[in-house]
Amino acid sequence: SSSGGDSDDDAPSDASWTQLQLWKTLQLLMESPNMSVKFSELRDDVFDGDKRPILELISEDVLGFQVDRSSDGGWYWKVTPASPCLGKAFATIVKDGVLKERFEAMELLEEQKEQRMDIELERARHYRERKVLDLRKKSLLRTLELGRQLGSEELARTRLSPSFDAIVAEEEMHDAEERVLRERLSLLVAGPEEALSVEGSEGGDAAVRRQTADAHGDHSLPLQILLKEAVLDMVSSPDDDRFSRLREAFNKLDKTRDGKISAADLVRVVKKATGKEVDMADAQDLVAKWDLDDDRTLDFNEFSRMLLADRKDNITCSKCTRDTSK
């Protein structure tokens, strides 16, 4: 069919194959010697291991089959056009420029859909691993609180600090991977033309990182530094431990006491602490960059990870070797 629909689901509603799969079948036949291809090759390469669509096309006299002898003396099925006339028709269809362009676009959309599914599965795995890290961190903090109640706070801090830092480092690694996945996902959503142009010019994750740096680098990084400065001005002495300083800053920012910080909160604290005006769109971009659960706000863990992302700035490791709970 040469209809103008963009979907690959224009096959009969009860068919087990799509138009795109049929197109790939015709292409594979035309590229094969004598317009024949092994049944197993067609099944695995075009129909994802499902033999039913091939048998259905054979029963509808679209495809034919033959039994041939293999080089090792065995036998195998091979798939062909159902008739020589259909073979000629297939050759004409595959050479049609309009159809070729249409199905190439459909194939690109299908590949992007598969990539999105793979990315979402990877993000789901990251989310589960982050939940485990959060549970480990809460367990450490409960142990630290127990040490405080028993009068052994300093001993507990000394013993637990390496474990807490290890969790923070693991969280940073997960967050970096999550940002790359989100950037790849946003590029896929941007559309086939943009994805093709970027991949063609640079390819892969390097292009994603470059586009993200172009889009956010001139805005989110300065704002992030301003926010760190504002947080340091808000909280107590630098001699206090890192976790307590972050918790104190978060509680001061969380005016609604709902455990969430919005972009408006960031604008307000930077203005109050530094006198600098911050564009709301930039603040929203910064929140989106670290908002791992996509609720357009930052919880305490997201807020902490944002401020600890570049620990050589402002909040230094030498002053945060002790970690306590709120």
Side-chain angles (χ1 to χ4, degrees):
S1 171
S2 60
S3 62
D6 292 331
S7 171
D8 65 351
D9 297 322
D10 294 333
S13 58
D14 58 345
S16 59
W17 48 270
T18 65
Q19 282 199 359
L20 182 57
Q21 287 175 323
L22 180 57
W23 172 260
K24 290 180 179 179
T25 299
L26 302 190
Q27 282 187 312
L28 192 57
L29 287 171
M30 294 305 103
E31 293 168 358
S32 303
N34 303 318
M35 287 194 293
S36 64
V37 62
K38 287 185 177 180
F39 185 97
S40 59
E41 180 182 350
L42 180 62
R43 178 196 63 205
D44 296 339
D45 292 353
V46 176
F47 296 101
D48 298 323
D50 189 356
K51 66 182 181 181
R52 293 175 303 163
I54 304 176
L55 298 177
E56 184 176 316
L57 289 168
I58 290 175
S59 69
E60 294 174 356
D61 293 326
V62 176
L63 300 177
F65 73 94
Q66 300 173 2
V67 179
D68 205 350
R69 185 179 292 275
S70 62
S71 57
D72 60 4
W75 300 89
Y76 69 93
W77 279 25
K78 61 181 183 181
V79 179
T80 66
S83 68
C85 289
L86 272 178
K88 293 179 181 180
F90 291 170
T92 301
I93 290 172
V94 169
K95 292 178 183 177
D96 187 292
V98 175
L99 284 176
K100 184 177 181 180
E101 183 176 348
R102 174 194 175 195
F103 283 108
E104 284 177 349
M106 289 169 60
E107 188 169 5
L108 177 60
L109 290 175
E110 183 181 75
E111 290 174 356
Q112 289 181 328
K113 181 179 178 180
E114 292 175 354
Q115 291 172 13
R116 286 196 295 271
M117 291 177 62
D118 290 342
I119 290 173
E120 291 297 352
L121 287 173
E122 185 71 7
R123 292 187 69 195
R125 181 182 68 81
H126 281 184
Y127 179 78
R128 291 193 298 271
E129 291 177 353
R130 285 199 306 273
K131 297 292 286 185
V132 172
L133 289 174
D134 289 342
L135 290 174
R136 286 170 55 193
K137 184 186 291 183
K138 290 177 181 178
S139 177
L140 287 176
L141 297 176
R142 285 195 298 268
T143 303
L144 185 60
E145 177 62 24
L146 179 60
R148 180 184 290 112
Q149 294 173 4
L150 296 176
S152 303
E153 181 177 353
E154 287 301 320
L155 177 61
R157 286 186 180 187
T158 302
R159 296 283 180 85
L160 298 179
S161 180
S163 297
F164 187 85
D165 283 341
I167 292 175
V168 170
E170 195 170 347
E171 286 176 334
E172 290 173 353
M173 180 187 69
H174 278 290
D175 293 344
E177 293 174 352
E178 172 68 12
R179 288 195 295 275
V180 171
L181 289 174
R182 291 175 63 172
E183 289 155 9
R184 287 174 56 194
L185 188 61
S186 66
L187 185 60
L188 287 172
V189 173
E193 295 81 4
E194 183 176 347
L196 280 176
S197 64
V198 173
E199 290 176 3
S201 61
E202 297 185 11
D205 291 341
V208 173
R209 286 192 290 270
R210 181 195 62 76
Q211 279 207 337
T212 304
D214 290 345
H216 300 294
D218 292 336
H219 302 286
S220 62
L221 182 58
L223 176 55
Q224 193 168 333
I225 293 174
L226 285 174
L227 183 60
K228 288 182 180 181
E229 294 174 351
V231 167
L232 290 176
D233 287 341
M234 290 173 58
V235 298
S236 51
S237 167
D239 292 333
D240 291 345
D241 62 272
R242 172 177 56 190
F243 192 84
S244 293
R245 297 174 74 196
L246 290 174
R247 173 59 72 179
E248 181 184 352
F250 184 84
N251 290 340
K252 289 184 177 182
L253 281 169
D254 182 18
K255 294 296 185 182
T256 58
R257 295 294 183 267
D258 60 353
K260 302 288 185 179
I261 292 175
S262 67
D265 292 326
L266 302 187
V267 172
R268 173 175 51 79
V269 71
V270 171
K271 171 66 175 176
K272 182 177 180 180
T274 69
K276 296 182 181 295
E277 296 287 348
V278 175
D279 187 78
M280 179 61 74
D282 290 342
Q284 290 171 340
D285 286 345
L286 182 60
V287 169
K289 181 177 179 180
W290 295 97
D291 172 26
L292 300 178
D293 54 7
D294 295 324
D295 64 353
R296 300 183 181 180
T297 62
L298 299 178
D299 60 24
F300 177 68
N301 282 329
E302 293 163 342
F303 174 77
S304 301
R305 290 166 186 165
M306 177 180 68
L307 292 184
L308 294 172
D310 187 5
R311 288 186 289 178
K312 66 178 180 293
D313 291 330
N314 301 318
I315 302 179
T316 61
C317 292
S318 63
K319 294 184 179 180
C320 353
T321 56
R322 300 285 192 267
D323 299 290
T324 73
S325 70
K326 62 185 178 183

